[in-house]
Every structure is written in structure tokens, then in C-alpha cells.
Amino acid sequence: MADPPEKDGEGDVGTVTKTRPKTAKPPLYKVLLLNDDYTPMEFVVHVLERFFGITHQQAVDIMLTVHKKGVAVVGVFSFEIAETKVTQVMDYARRNQHPLQCTMEKE
């Protein structure tokens, strides 16, 4: 029995690839703590530990950066988390009668 003749590419099976649109990562936001001349340093350290879950030494380092440079990035989060943290810090500072300012900006 003879081999069937070759077909020169006729009937070849090709693979179809679907290109998926890439899902863009959501933008991240920096949470910033601003210096003021009235909020006690100990209160700032307490806020950093409480709302950002950082160690005492990390909180002291960030507080000193805020004190010396006027502002420091506390963390980088999704929009919703950053917004929540800013609100928590501001509300807590007001309840404790401190003018501490916390803001967020797109990274």
C-alpha cells in the first residue's frame, strides 16, 4: 500500500489564539501625614501604630520625618483603603482635639 500524497499545506490545522484585553491595575494612593506645631509627637506615634499597624520604631522614624521635613508618606494603598485610613486618622485626631492632618494623593 502506498502512502497518501502530501497536500502542500491544505487541510493544516492552525491554532486560534484569543487576545484578552489586559486588565489595568487600579491606581495606588500615597497616604501622607503633615506636620503641625501643636500635635504631640507621642500622639502621632500612637496614630501610626494604631491605624497603620507598624512597629513603634517605624512609627517614631516616620514621625521624625514628618517633624523635620513637614510631610511623610505613611503607606501606599488602593483608593478605598487610603481614603478610609485618611478618614480614620482625621476623625481620631479631631476627637482627641489635635489638628493633625492626613491626606492622600495618587502615586
Side-chain angles (χ1 to χ4, degrees):
M1 194 181 289
D3 291 333
E6 294 197 19
K7 295 186 179 182
D8 295 312
E10 287 181 36
D12 285 351
V13 177
T15 54
V16 177
T17 57
K18 290 184 180 178
T19 55
R20 292 170 127 185
K22 290 193 177 192
T23 305
K25 289 184 180 179
L28 295 176
Y29 290 81
K30 296 185 285 191
V31 174
L32 307 165
L33 209 55
L34 308 176
N35 188 44
D36 66 73
D37 294 332
Y38 303 101
T39 304
M41 292 179 177
E42 297 81 22
F43 182 79
V44 175
V45 169
H46 171 70
V47 164
L48 291 168
E49 292 172 343
R50 178 175 178 158
F51 295 105
F52 297 93
I54 59 177
T55 67
H56 182 74
Q57 188 56 55
Q58 289 172 317
V60 168
D61 292 344
I62 291 171
M63 177 275 298
L64 288 173
T65 299
V66 171
H67 182 69
K68 292 175 185 173
K69 295 187 176 183
V71 65
V73 175
V74 182
V76 179
F77 308 95
S78 68
F79 178 83
E80 292 79 11
I81 293 173
E83 185 177 49
T84 299
K85 293 204 179 280
V86 167
T87 301
Q88 289 173 329
V89 169
M90 295 292 288
D91 288 349
Y92 189 71
R94 296 300 157 267
R95 283 196 311 272
N96 287 277
Q97 300 178 341
H98 294 299
L100 183 64
Q101 294 291 305
C102 187
T103 62
M104 61 188 263
E105 67 181 36
K106 204 170 192 176
E107 188 176 45

